Amino acid sequence: MIFNSVEFLIFFPIAVLGYYLIPHRVRYLWLLACSYYFYMCWNPSYALLILFSTAVTYIAALAMSALADKKRAALWKKCCLAGGFILNLGILVWFKYTDFFLFNIGRIAEGIGIKWTPPQLDLLLPVGISFYTFQALGYIMDVYRGETAAEKNFFKYALFVSFFPQLVAGPIERSKNLLSQIQERHRFEFETVRDGLMLMLWGYFLKMVIADRAAIFVDAVYAEEHLYGGWYLVIATMLFAIQIYCDFAGYSIIAMGAAKVMGFRLTDNFRSPYMAQTVADFWRGWHITLTGWFRDYLYIPLGGNRKGRLRQYLNIMIVFGLSGFWHGASFSFIVWGLLNGFYQVAGKLLQPVRDRVVSALQINRQAFSHKLYRMLVTFLLVDFSWLFFRAGDLGEAFWALTSMLHAGNIHVLTDGSLFTLGLDEKNFLVLALAVAVLIFADYMKRRGIVLREWLCRQGTWFRWLCLYAAFCAVLIFGVYGVGYDEKAFIYFQF
Amino acid sequence: MLRKIKRVAATVLFWALLAATFVHLTYLYRGDLAHTRKHVTGFYDEKQDSLDVIMIGTSATFSAFMPMEAWNQYGMVSYNFSINTLYTDSIKYYVREALKTQSPKLLIIDIAPFLFGHHSYGKMEEVFEVPTRYNTDGLSLSKNRFDLINAIVPEWEDRLEFYFDLFYYHGDTIPQPVFAGNRQHNVEKGYDNLPIRQIYTNDELAERNWTEIELDEANKEAFLELLEELQDYDFPVLFISQPYLNVENGSPDGLAAYMERVIGEYGFAFLNLTDHAEEIGIDDIFDYSLDYLHYNTSSAEKITAYLGKYVMEHYPIPDRRGEEAYRSWHEDYVLWQEILEEERKETKRQMLEMFEQTTEPECYLNLLRSDYVSSCIWISSQPFVYKDEILWGRISDLGVALQSEGVPHNSLVIIDHTLNQQILYNEGAEFRFSSTFGEVRYTDGDMPELYIQESDHSDLLENEALIAVVVAERETGKLIDFIAWGSNEDDYVILSHKTYYP
């Protein structure tokens, strides 16, 4: 069941209604049932996996907690933590990376003259496994560090792992945030519910009007990139930057909104990333919860920036390399991750040079023009890395890169060729206008202005007009229905 | 407390307006998959309780009956509430829909959906989605539509996109005025002309066989449910079967016979127009369009005249032509006449285009009987053997008597259907050639003259075993088509086919 489906539009009100009608003390059971139902709509057998992951980390946390006063507590805690990690990551590795490893071992074997055909397991990746696995692992890390108490109620903990708004594509919540809210009593508050619904509407706008529309062109070009090289690929890659942002951010915002309707506050996963001035800044605004997870549970344990500059750069590369690998079992994802790591390392290394240049040229760093320049450069760097993300494999990525560097078909920008790949002029116009709305909203967010709150302070007639306009925009211009191939959210595949 | 009440009221109003917006957008963006949405929106636009006769059926129905002609000839106020591929299990829902806003004095139901297998059969494979949408996507959003969807769309997951058909059509260009809702005035009152696409050969027509054939389970159930429901209404119901060609041993005759008996058992009337085809004046060759069960303007005018007269004679349907309340129908008739004239031209155009599409000799020669054309046939002295027959025998069906012997080589035979004459020029007779290949001219009192550009076809004209035909538009004399066949032992061979129309 995806968010932009009629099934969800029926399921969600029932879930919310049940939530507020049921007595508070058993509401979590209702939500747990809804969450498992939501997950099992993808595939009933997935429930066993998430249940296993839940049980393992629940037991590990309880064991750590119970062993806190025992002899050799530290060792036992480490064992429980390791056991939890190994079992959970083991499942993730099995489903996500087995074919990748087998394939590459086979290639290495072939390279050194050993004849061995690796088995093709073609394992189907259970949706959301990367997200809930990390969420559960984050919990046992928090328990290990003593930052949070182990949850004794198995069902409440199970709800923390499987909470349906953020189950299949994040945000990856911390136990300190979400688990504590499960204990809270949530009353029906009009403003909160309204705000949640408005968030959902905005999320649907991003996903259905922008992301899925851009995807039509992007998919058409990348499906036949040998036919549509050069400037087609340039435009498609730029549109992919918009597509992936609106797709993922749209999902996260819908998740936030859905949770908020029930009184839960999820972490904002995006903060105007394309308005960033540096790549590091970009990563402080992109998939914030994953970046935070890697920072707290990998980068800092590796030493962070506390062990000298070289070690810091190495840690950055490791973290981003693994982050890339988390996204997909392919070298192109690893390259994408490493490239982003490299940008940040290079940024740090070149900082003194940039400072000298700025000083010498007497550039006003606070000037709008300079900020715009930095924003565009950052966007171009990030978009370049998206090429590896989208291409699927390294070979295709490098082919696309070569094609773009030798692009001799600039005429396609003006002769109407771009309108022949699924998006006609009208649709490009709709896309452009929608992106303009997005840029405005992101700019406001960057300035600390929450447009929803501003709208709620306006007169009823104006507020309703805006909401109806947004509603009509999604209904009319959203990509769904006939011909829509149920584009799952991009991040579902991770 | 007051604040809470205000808030609740505002919320309810907000969602109500949102729902209304959704409904309005649905009507605005609904596409017109089969170009028959206007039949439904036109029905909704008719004034409450203004229609005396409502006809329900499928494409065979809406191409057969012209309510505006029935109005003009008999003062009958009727509406052809028919849609493309109406399923048999949809009929009762369309009856209910009609009765929401009308109180007819007569309901006419065409049994064509039963005869030609229009049923949902509980399938939702891709091929069935579009015809199913013909049934559902014109109706206003209502419980009746909801029930119809539940009846003909088997899986609940599939039904969702039918309940909310905006999900299917959003993003289409707006097909109607912004604030029209789901109603739009339809001057044709549900009638629609269909393109001509096929001419049948005699071989393809089977003998009539009225031995009863029972409907299959699904259709029988729909049929009996419909009959049961109709018994609850207090107005008469007339079941009809439009005339159709019996093509390739089709079962419609048997099904019609079965249905006629059952209809009679339930106390309803049945009129089989196939039995009266000759009386109606239906021409098997020229009065069908699309295929063997659809009609063009020519046949529709004939059927309307006959059926309208039948209804007025057998049912207490008032002649409303003098009533003030129906003044708009007079105004509509003026518009209708313009539409009809255009549609007659369209029928003629489609018929003339058939010459380009038709190459099989028997079908082609059948076309020559059309009132729109005159033709010249050039026949060589050798017999044209086709399908083990001497084709000249077929030409005799066209009213021309030819004899295999005695027709000189390179003779020109001119057939004029209006005069029913054959004019035979013997070899050596003066025959005028012109530099332009173009016209069959009729001059007053003179023989028709054929002008052929020698360089184009003279080589053909010298071939033996040849039939060549030149077709011209009767009204203007303009050339339409030229075709020439040769024959080998087993079959005919097209030697040349050149079209000059449009």
Side-chain angles (χ1 to χ4, degrees):
Chain A
M1 193 194 303
I2 57 174
F3 282 168
N4 55 329
S5 67
V6 177
E7 291 86 348
F8 180 77
L9 293 178
I10 295 172
F11 162 81
F12 181 66
I14 295 171
V16 171
L17 200 64
Y19 181 73
Y20 282 114
L21 290 177
I22 283 170
H24 158 71
R25 63 179 186 282
V26 290
R27 274 181 186 173
Y28 67 94
L29 292 172
W30 167 254
L31 269 188
L32 180 63
C34 289
S35 298
Y36 267 73
Y37 173 78
F38 178 85
Y39 195 50
M40 286 168 72
C41 283
W42 291 91
N43 186 328
S45 59
Y46 289 174
L48 296 171
L49 280 171
I50 194 172
L51 191 59
F52 178 78
S53 181
T54 304
V56 163
T57 49
Y58 171 76
I59 291 167
L62 277 183
M64 282 191 281
S65 189
L67 294 166
D69 302 325
K70 301 286 186 237
K71 262 189 190 172
R72 296 205 221 157
L75 177 64
W76 283 115
K77 278 177 75 174
K78 277 198 174 110
C79 288
C80 291
L81 181 70
F85 260 77
I86 288 167
L87 285 170
N88 275 278
L89 281 178
I91 297 172
L92 182 63
V93 166
W94 169 255
F95 279 101
K96 202 164 178 176
Y97 302 108
T98 305
D99 280 328
F100 172 78
F101 287 133
L102 286 174
F103 174 74
N104 284 288
I105 291 169
R107 286 181 76 180
I108 293 169
E110 194 184 319
I112 60 175
I114 298 172
K115 275 193 176 174
W116 176 63
T117 311
Q120 189 111 10
L121 300 180
D122 287 332
L123 295 165
L124 206 59
L125 184 66
V127 71
I129 190 169
S130 303
F131 291 89
Y132 69 70
T133 300
F134 269 39
Q135 187 153 310
L137 292 177
Y139 164 72
I140 59 173
M141 276 293 280
D142 289 344
V143 171
Y144 174 78
R145 288 174 178 175
E147 290 172 8
T148 198
E151 174 57 56
K152 291 189 171 60
N153 186 320
F154 175 76
F155 297 107
K156 283 186 180 175
Y157 176 67
L159 177 58
F160 162 73
V161 176
S162 65
F163 187 45
F164 75 84
Q166 46 88 232
L167 170 60
V168 294
I172 302 172
E173 284 297 331
R174 303 298 180 87
S175 55
K176 283 177 285 221
N177 182 36
L178 184 56
L179 203 48
S180 58
Q181 290 186 67
I182 292 172
Q183 321 286 354
E184 290 173 6
R185 186 188 190 100
H186 297 135
R187 290 185 201 283
F188 180 92
E189 283 179 15
F190 179 82
E191 286 81 6
T192 307
V193 171
R194 180 179 62 187
D195 199 46
L197 291 174
M198 285 166 71
L199 269 172
M200 291 178 76
L201 184 58
W202 176 239
Y204 282 120
F205 178 83
L206 292 182
K207 163 66 176 166
M208 294 166 69
V209 179
I210 302 179
D212 285 344
R213 180 169 265 97
I216 294 170
F217 183 87
V218 171
D219 291 349
V221 170
Y222 272 90
E224 305 257 21
E225 56 191 35
H226 293 267
L227 196 61
Y228 299 112
W231 279 96
Y232 285 112
L233 274 169
V234 171
I235 301 297
T237 308
M238 290 174 75
L239 281 180
F240 180 70
I242 295 168
Q243 178 200 344
I244 193 168
Y245 174 44
C246 293
D247 194 282
F248 195 14
Y251 178 90
S252 293
I253 290 168
I254 295 170
M256 279 172 62
K260 192 158 196 182
V261 169
M262 292 180 285
F264 291 89
R265 299 170 303 281
L266 296 183
T267 308
D268 194 354
N269 223 1
F270 292 86
R271 233 170 269 142
S272 310
Y274 288 137
M275 304 250 159
Q277 305 280 298
T278 62
V279 174
D281 195 20
F282 170 83
W283 281 101
R284 281 191 282 274
W286 180 276
H287 203 175
I288 294 167
T289 56
L290 180 72
T291 313
W293 196 98
F294 273 111
R295 180 195 61 230
D296 293 342
Y297 302 121
L298 183 62
Y299 179 70
I300 289 173
L302 284 175
N305 59 1
R306 288 172 284 120
K307 304 230 169 136
R309 272 214 193 135
L310 276 178
R311 181 64 183 266
Q312 181 193 20
Y313 299 158
L314 180 66
N315 290 341
I316 289 172
M317 295 302 289
I318 290 171
V319 164
F320 276 89
L322 284 175
S323 172
F325 199 40
W326 177 90
H327 282 81
S330 164
F331 284 115
S332 65
F333 285 112
I334 296 172
V335 166
W336 166 77
L338 289 173
L339 193 52
N340 276 276
F342 170 75
Y343 286 152
Q344 292 178 74
V345 169
K348 288 183 189 309
L349 285 170
L350 293 173
Q351 185 66 51
V353 174
R354 293 205 312 272
D355 289 342
R356 265 190 241 125
V357 168
V358 164
S359 175
L361 296 177
Q362 292 185 314
I363 293 170
N364 178 6
R365 276 195 161 128
Q366 300 311 310
F368 171 76
S369 55
H370 185 70
K371 286 183 179 176
L372 182 65
Y373 160 76
R374 291 179 73 185
M375 197 179 78
L376 289 172
V377 169
T378 303
F379 177 80
L380 286 172
L381 289 172
V382 168
D383 197 31
F384 176 78
S385 73
W386 284 133
L387 172 65
F388 294 89
F389 194 97
R390 179 61 181 82
D393 66 59
L394 272 183
E396 292 296 325
F398 283 116
W399 187 93
L401 181 60
T402 314
S403 175
M404 286 198 278
L405 289 172
H406 293 100
N409 57 349
I410 195 167
H411 59 86
V412 304
L413 298 181
T414 51
D415 67 3
S417 301
L418 294 180
F419 304 137
T420 62
L421 291 167
L423 288 186
D424 58 14
E425 279 182 68
K426 173 189 139 193
N427 275 289
F428 261 106
L429 182 63
V430 167
L431 185 60
L433 289 172
V435 169
V437 170
L438 168 65
I439 292 171
F440 173 74
D442 266 10
Y443 177 69
M444 288 289 124
K445 190 170 182 178
R446 198 85 173 168
R447 302 265 321 253
I449 299 169
V450 181
L451 282 176
R452 293 188 320 280
E453 289 171 8
W454 173 84
L455 192 62
C456 289
R457 291 195 295 272
Q458 308 309 309
T460 304
W461 69 271
F462 183 78
R463 190 167 66 247
W464 285 18
L465 202 60
C466 291
L467 291 175
Y468 284 145
F471 178 73
C472 290
V474 171
L475 268 188
I476 296 166
F477 299 117
V479 177
Y480 61 97
V482 69
Y484 178 64
D485 64 356
E486 289 250 306
K487 290 182 197 347
F489 294 86
I490 292 177
Y491 267 70
F492 280 6
Q493 61 186 300
F494 310 134
Chain B
M1 186 65 186
L2 185 63
R3 189 163 176 258
K4 262 191 185 168
I5 293 171
K6 272 188 185 173
R7 192 157 258 178
V8 168
T11 304
V12 168
L13 182 62
F14 177 85
W15 286 102
L17 286 174
L18 203 62
T21 304
F22 180 85
V23 170
H24 183 76
L25 286 176
T26 297
Y27 295 152
L28 194 63
Y29 279 95
R30 256 183 187 169
D32 197 6
L33 286 178
H35 310 290
T36 57
R37 187 184 165 197
K38 59 184 178 181
H39 301 175
V40 181
T41 55
F43 182 83
Y44 290 126
D45 193 64
E46 294 298 322
K47 285 190 195 139
Q48 179 106 8
D49 296 329
S50 63
L51 300 172
D52 291 325
V53 179
I54 297 173
M55 183 179 282
I56 290 177
T58 183
S59 47
T61 320
F62 67 63
S63 65
F65 186 76
M66 297 172 163
M68 279 273 94
E69 282 304 303
W71 160 259
N72 181 54
Q73 291 170 33
Y74 308 108
M76 184 199 300
V77 175
S78 61
Y79 197 96
N80 201 331
F81 189 36
S82 302
I83 55 123
N84 206 7
T85 322
L86 179 71
Y87 287 157
T88 55
D89 38 346
S90 300
I91 296 176
K92 71 179 181 198
Y93 298 96
Y94 271 74
V95 173
R96 291 179 194 168
E97 194 71 15
L99 298 179
K100 277 185 193 173
T101 55
Q102 300 294 333
S103 304
K105 291 181 171 49
L106 173 68
L107 179 68
I108 302 177
I109 296 179
D110 191 338
I111 65 169
F114 293 97
L115 301 186
F116 301 106
H118 293 350
H119 193 281
S120 64
Y121 289 110
K123 293 179 195 164
M124 267 314 296
E125 292 104 15
E126 203 176 308
V127 68
F128 280 88
E129 177 171 7
V130 170
T132 302
R133 286 196 176 276
Y134 296 162
N135 283 254
T136 61
D137 290 357
L139 299 177
S140 293
L141 304 189
S142 66
K143 186 175 178 307
N144 187 45
R145 182 175 180 270
F146 179 80
D147 292 339
L148 168 64
I149 291 169
N150 291 345
I152 67 176
V153 182
E155 302 294 334
W156 77 268
E157 305 95 53
D158 297 320
R159 287 178 197 163
L160 294 173
E161 286 210 356
F162 282 83
Y163 296 147
F164 308 109
D165 54 333
L166 180 63
F167 293 173
Y168 188 86
Y169 297 108
H170 75 285
D172 280 359
T173 51
I174 299 174
Q176 61 172 50
V178 174
F179 296 108
N182 198 34
R183 54 178 63 204
Q184 197 171 8
H185 192 59
N186 183 231
V187 168
E188 294 105 309
K189 309 292 181 192
Y191 166 77
D192 221 331
N193 189 14
L194 291 174
I196 294 174
R197 279 201 206 119
Q198 191 159 359
I199 300 288
Y200 289 92
T201 64
N202 289 341
D203 283 352
E204 289 169 307
L205 302 178
E207 292 292 324
R208 293 283 173 194
N209 182 356
W210 299 104
T211 308
E212 280 190 20
I213 300 174
E214 204 166 304
L215 290 167
D216 64 35
E217 259 331 292
N219 280 299
K220 189 175 175 182
E221 187 183 337
F223 179 43
L224 295 177
E225 278 179 13
L226 174 65
L227 289 170
E228 292 287 343
E229 184 155 321
L230 289 173
Q231 289 199 311
D232 295 335
Y233 300 127
D234 58 6
F235 49 77
V237 179
L238 171 65
F239 286 85
I240 64 169
S241 175
Q242 306 285 3
Y244 55 85
L245 290 176
N246 208 20
V247 176
E248 295 177 12
N249 302 313
S251 58
D253 291 350
L255 293 172
Y258 165 78
M259 291 184 73
E260 181 176 4
R261 177 176 59 77
V262 177
I263 286 166
E265 286 170 4
Y266 272 78
F268 296 113
F270 177 73
L271 176 64
N272 191 340
L273 291 175
T274 308
D275 281 343
H276 302 273
E278 206 174 312
E279 203 180 326
I280 295 170
I282 298 290
D283 184 316
D284 281 357
I285 302 297
F286 297 113
D287 280 345
Y288 289 92
S289 76
L290 197 66
D291 55 19
Y292 53 88
L293 67 144
H294 296 89
Y295 315 96
N296 53 34
T297 48
S298 165
S299 43
E301 287 183 78
K302 294 173 194 172
I303 294 170
T304 303
Y306 184 88
L307 184 58
K309 185 170 179 240
Y310 180 91
V311 165
M312 296 304 280
E313 284 173 357
H314 290 80
Y315 295 92
I317 308 297
D319 179 343
R320 304 271 194 193
R321 282 175 288 192
E323 294 184 30
E324 180 59 25
Y326 290 89
R327 188 152 39 128
S328 64
W329 281 66
H330 290 289
E331 292 160 9
D332 281 345
Y333 186 74
V334 172
L335 297 171
W336 160 254
Q337 283 184 297
E338 293 170 15
I339 293 169
L340 180 59
E341 197 44 46
E342 287 305 311
E343 292 192 343
R344 283 175 182 151
K345 285 180 189 169
E346 179 63 17
T347 297
K348 178 183 172 184
R349 187 191 65 74
Q350 289 164 7
M351 175 55 68
L352 295 180
E353 280 182 352
M354 289 299 294
F355 286 96
E356 185 187 10
Q357 296 157 26
T358 308
T359 55
E360 199 274 340
E362 188 183 340
C363 292
Y364 196 99
L365 293 173
N366 276 334
L367 286 177
L368 298 181
R369 290 175 44 232
S370 167
D371 291 335
Y372 298 125
V373 302
S374 51
S375 55
C376 306
I377 302 178
W378 179 285
I379 304 168
S380 70
S381 61
Q382 295 296 323
F384 187 96
V385 180
Y386 174 62
K387 290 185 183 176
D388 298 323
E389 295 176 39
I390 308 290
L391 189 59
W392 292 351
R394 291 302 174 89
I395 295 173
S396 70
D397 291 341
L398 304 174
V400 178
L402 288 174
Q403 307 206 354
S404 56
E405 296 107 8
V407 177
H409 176 65
N410 284 344
S411 292
L412 176 66
V413 179
I414 301 173
I415 302 156
D416 185 323
H417 299 305
T418 53
L419 301 177
N420 199 23
Q421 277 183 351
Q422 72 176 53
I423 307 103
L424 203 63
Y425 285 90
N426 292 323
E427 186 175 1
E430 190 174 311
F431 187 76
R432 208 179 293 184
F433 283 86
S434 163
S435 58
T436 57
F437 188 27
E439 290 180 18
V440 172
R441 292 187 196 159
Y442 286 85
T443 54
D444 293 332
D446 288 342
M447 298 296 185
E449 293 166 329
L450 174 67
Y451 290 82
I452 303 174
Q453 189 171 23
E454 190 174 346
S455 59
D456 277 350
H457 297 283
S458 57
D459 56 336
L460 284 178
L461 298 178
E462 286 170 12
N463 264 334
E464 295 184 354
L466 170 81
I467 292 182
V469 183
V470 177
V471 185
E473 188 179 349
R474 181 174 300 212
E475 202 176 342
T476 62
K478 286 205 172 125
L479 207 62
I480 292 184
D481 204 74
F482 173 84
I483 191 166
W485 300 282
S487 79
N488 56 33
E489 285 179 12
D490 302 316
D491 206 345
Y492 70 91
V493 175
I494 299 172
L495 299 175
S496 174
H497 189 187
K498 196 167 175 185
T499 299
Y500 300 88
Y501 181 86

